[in-house]
Structures are given as structure tokens and as C-alpha cells.
Amino acid sequence: MSRIVFSSPSTLPQLYSTSRRIVKMSVTQTMNSGVSFRSMAVKPPSHPTYDMKGVIKLALAEDAGDRGDVTCLATIPLDMEVEAHFLAKEDGIVAGISLAEMIFHEVDPSLKVEWSQKDGDHVQKGLQFGKVSGQAHNIVVAERVVLNFMQRMSGIATLTKTMADAAHPACILETRKTAPGLRLVDKWAVLIGGGRNHRMGLFDMVMIKDNHISIAGGIINAIKSVDQYLEQQNLQMEVEVETRTLEEVDEVLRIYISNKVILDPDNAR
């Protein structure tokens, strides 16, 4: 029986497979591309326009180009089926399992995927925590895209978990400084690691930063303009102010106290 090994320079996980002409195994439920997030261990953050399926298609198209996997087409018989196993290469938090199922299903809905762990679980080096079986060509096509997402998400989740545990009972929040096009994926990994999401983008929270303050002519002007805008647009959303000095902190507090606004420490960022 021949053996195919998919190696990876990154940390976790690794996918290796045993090939054979016919694979017999029990059928396991695979998430479809229109997946219901109710079944997920950790649901992705919500976003009004983000297209997860589109991101998956773009990643697959980026890899395949206009010819597909020429090495696979040249070396692997079309009728070969394999069973590939996910192996943790380091200790850490595994993340991206739900996304991996979406990718496998996008490539080939007939692929069978099974996991012994879920997103957010701690895995130890050497643990085999999942497997996928089906046509070798389609598994190989999906393999690198799956691992790229899982390794990135697992790294973020593992680091987040370390910081969240150290900061407890304080909460760890992320920022908008994410890889372009991968914001929801990166923020999803933070949730899996035990962190919390801050604003998703420019649309869901007012965040008055130094540039806004300078252009508006000071914190007081910036806050008054924001209040007026929200009232005119009939919007209810959080307002956050970045301060640079203790004097600016005092200014913000005086404004909110004079307006009889109660500051909720649980919502402070």
C-alpha cells in the first residue's frame, strides 16, 4: 500500500494520508456550503456583507490558476481514493475545523470528514484529531487551502488563549489590524481562543481617534459632532474615544457627566 505525506512548514495541524483504490468507512455528516452556524462550537462573528463562501472560492482559485493541480493530474490516478488524517504538530488550540469542512464541501460534497476534536479544544503534539476520505485529487486540491486557514487560525487562537488566561478577569479584544480579506476569519479565531471581538469595521461603532480629534478641532467638537450625526441618522451605537493625555481623559469625562450619561464599565473599551 503506497503512502502520501502532505508536509507543512507551519505549526499545527498537518495532514497525511494513506492511499488505496477503495476506501470503506462509515458516512459522516459534512457541513454544506450554506452551513447552519447553530451546530458550530464557536460561531463566526456577524458581518452584513462578508461572503465566506466567496473567500473560500477565491482561495481555491488562487491555488488552481487556469490549469489546476498539474502535479496531481500527472501523478495520481483519477480513480484513486484516500483517507487523510489531521495531525497536530505542536501543542495548542485548534481552530478552523468548521471552516475546513466548508472548504472540503466546496471542492467535493462527497468527501467524508470526521473529527475527534472541536474548535477551541486544546490538542497535544502528535494527536490525530480528524480525517477526510474520498477522491485523492479533490482532497489534495483542498488540502493546502484547508491547512493555510487552520494553521493561521490555530496560531491566532493559541496566542489569544495565552493572553486571555493571563489577563483574566479582564477581557482581551482585537483590532481592525487584520489581513485584508480575512478579517472575519481572523476575528473568528480570536473568539475560538477565548478573546472578544471589538468593532468589525468602520460601520458598526463610532471610534473617535487622534485624527478625528485633530481635524474636528478638539475632543469636545468631535463628540458633539458625533452626537449630532447619530441623532440625525437615528442611530444607536457605541461611541469610543481614544485619548492621548490625562487632560483629554478629563475632558471626555466632563462632557459625559455634564450630559448625565452613565458610563457602563462592562462596555468600556
Side-chain angles (χ1 to χ4, degrees):
M1 180 183 294
S2 59
R3 179 186 176 103
I4 302 173
V5 177
F6 300 131
S7 61
S8 169
S10 300
T11 54
L12 132 127
Q14 177 182 13
L15 185 66
Y16 67 93
S17 67
T18 303
S19 60
R20 50 195 175 206
R21 293 291 177 174
I22 299 175
V23 174
K24 293 182 179 179
M25 63 176 292
S26 60
V27 177
T28 57
Q29 185 176 2
T30 303
M31 221 179 297
N32 59 37
S33 55
V35 60
S36 169
F37 294 141
R38 289 176 299 178
S39 62
M40 293 182 177
V42 180
K43 300 177 181 61
S46 61
H47 191 287
T49 61
Y50 197 93
D51 181 8
M52 182 71 79
K53 188 173 182 179
V55 171
I56 291 172
K57 287 184 174 182
L58 181 62
L60 291 168
E62 178 182 59
D63 223 15
D66 59 350
R67 294 181 183 274
D69 187 342
V70 292
T71 308
C72 186
L73 291 169
T75 60
I76 302 177
L78 291 175
D79 61 346
M80 177 174 286
E81 294 191 354
V82 300
E83 182 178 285
H85 297 265
F86 285 85
L87 182 70
K89 296 177 69 177
E90 290 187 11
D91 295 350
I93 302 299
V94 64
I97 286 176
S98 296
L99 182 56
E101 291 199 23
M102 295 184 209
I103 297 168
F104 281 127
H105 187 272
E106 181 65 31
V107 172
D108 181 357
S110 70
L111 294 177
K112 307 301 186 298
V113 189
E114 186 175 359
W115 307 96
S116 61
Q117 305 292 317
K118 63 183 183 300
D119 281 325
D121 283 349
H122 185 273
V123 295
Q124 293 183 326
K125 181 178 180 180
L127 176 69
Q128 179 182 307
F129 62 92
K131 61 183 177 181
V132 55
S133 64
Q135 190 179 46
H137 278 259
N138 292 333
I139 290 177
V140 172
V141 165
E143 171 254 345
R144 177 40 55 193
V145 174
V146 166
L147 289 181
N148 283 350
F149 276 118
M150 289 190 73
Q151 287 166 348
R152 179 180 180 85
M153 291 182 71
S154 295
I156 293 171
T158 299
L159 185 57
T160 300
K161 176 65 173 174
T162 300
M163 292 189 293
D165 287 348
H168 183 78
C171 299
I172 293 295
L173 301 170
E174 23 76 332
T175 70
R176 288 170 50 239
K177 298 172 183 177
T178 54
L182 296 180
R183 177 168 300 172
L184 190 139
V185 174
D186 287 353
K187 286 178 174 283
W188 191 1
V190 169
L191 290 179
I192 291 172
R196 292 189 186 179
N197 293 147
H198 196 219
R199 59 176 179 163
M200 284 300 299
L202 300 173
F203 60 91
D204 59 337
M205 177 192 290
V206 175
M207 188 169 182
I208 304 173
K209 301 169 72 82
D210 53 354
N211 288 335
H212 307 110
I213 293 169
S214 297
I215 294 172
I219 285 182
I220 294 176
N221 289 341
I223 292 176
K224 286 182 177 179
S225 296
V226 166
D227 288 343
Q228 184 179 16
Y229 175 82
L230 295 178
E231 184 177 355
Q232 290 173 346
Q233 300 297 319
N234 194 27
L235 292 174
Q236 294 284 338
M237 61 175 56
E238 292 185 27
V239 177
E240 182 173 312
V241 183
E242 275 193 3
T243 55
R244 296 165 289 189
T245 65
L246 290 176
E247 288 73 18
E248 289 183 341
V249 173
D250 288 337
E251 280 190 86
V252 174
L253 290 176
R254 282 198 299 270
I255 293 171
Y256 280 100
I257 291 173
S258 64
N259 290 336
K260 297 182 180 180
V261 175
I262 299 174
L263 299 179
D264 182 356
D266 291 335
N267 290 330
R269 297 291 191 266

